[in-house]
Amino acid sequence: MFCKINSTLIVFFLLLLGLNNCFSQRQNLIGINTYGEYNFSGYFGNSFGISYERKINAHFGLETGISLRNSFEEFNSNLTLPSGTINIVQKVRESYLSIPLGVKYYTPVVNAAIGLNADYFADWKDESSNPYAKITEYSVSPKLNWGGFVKVSKQFKISQAFVAEPEIRFCYLDQNVYYYGIGVGVKYSF
């Protein structure tokens, strides 16, 4: 048992020593992002946010951020009138705070990232067009969904300090929820 702990510590310290040498090419980027996405129900939504990226060496980096993501849900309801019952379609816009944390791999051709994502249900709005039936209460359970994401992107240098980065991404959360889409970010390097 003692030998296993010692060998684990040795490997850990060697890894830290190797990472310390890799930090010579550090770079920080902060950006503003916008996305257009389709959700698992087939509805289009958008999201806006900020991102932070830490380039550790020539090939690897870490990235995180926070964005406000909108998703639409549509469902059928029965409305009882004096003349009878009619079926109506109601639409709700759900707003989520989305927080990704991922590892990014850089190549001259494209960049790829993979990581974890948390989506927190923040708000909703009735988007139904029927004047007779308004939604007064709406909730989502669970409010916090965990999952993973993958994305592929390409950085284009705009100036010495700014880059534009279009990307394609896919996010799968628990509860069989997923979304995918394209986006673009403008990032400042410091």
Side-chain angles (χ1 to χ4, degrees):
M1 177 77 173
F2 183 71
C3 288
K4 187 173 184 173
I5 292 173
N6 278 339
S7 62
T8 304
L9 287 174
I10 291 170
V11 169
F12 178 73
F13 284 120
L14 289 175
L15 181 63
L16 283 178
L17 182 63
L19 286 175
N20 188 37
N21 291 333
C22 294
F23 288 150
S24 61
Q25 297 182 6
R26 287 183 278 182
Q27 181 183 19
N28 295 303
L29 295 123
I30 189 163
I32 298 172
N33 307 316
T34 183
Y35 303 97
E37 301 166 329
Y38 285 96
N39 69 3
F40 62 98
S41 300
Y43 292 103
F44 182 79
N46 56 11
S47 66
F48 302 95
I50 57 172
S51 65
Y52 172 74
E53 186 175 325
R54 171 76 167 185
K55 193 170 184 180
I56 296 171
N57 63 32
H59 293 291
F60 288 100
L62 301 173
E63 68 176 349
T64 188
I66 187 167
S67 62
L68 180 63
R69 185 177 70 80
N70 291 312
S71 180
F72 291 91
E73 293 300 322
E74 195 172 89
F75 50 92
N76 294 323
S77 296
N78 291 324
L79 179 62
T80 304
L81 299 172
S83 60
T85 301
I86 60 171
N87 189 1
I88 59 171
V89 177
Q90 294 181 295
K91 191 173 184 181
V92 172
R93 182 186 71 208
E94 300 174 345
S95 297
Y96 292 88
L97 286 176
S98 185
I99 303 171
L101 176 61
V103 175
K104 194 166 187 177
Y105 182 74
Y106 305 94
T107 71
V109 180
V110 294
N111 303 327
I114 187 167
L116 300 173
N117 198 73
D119 271 17
Y120 179 76
F121 178 70
D123 199 11
W124 66 277
K125 182 179 179 187
D126 184 1
E127 297 283 339
S128 302
S129 58
N130 190 317
Y132 301 110
K134 290 294 178 191
I135 301 170
T136 57
E137 288 186 38
Y138 185 80
S139 65
V140 171
S141 181
K143 283 189 168 241
L144 181 63
N145 276 324
W146 292 94
F149 73 89
V150 294
K151 67 180 181 177
V152 177
S153 62
K154 173 70 176 166
Q155 286 186 350
F156 296 97
K157 197 171 195 174
I158 298 173
S159 70
Q160 191 66 18
F162 288 95
V163 294
E165 188 169 15
E167 66 185 37
I168 300 170
R169 73 176 179 169
F170 175 82
C171 185
Y172 183 86
L173 304 169
D174 62 356
Q175 308 298 319
N176 207 21
V177 174
Y178 63 88
Y179 52 92
Y180 58 93
I182 60 172
V184 66
V186 176
K187 299 179 180 181
Y188 173 73
S189 175
F190 62 98

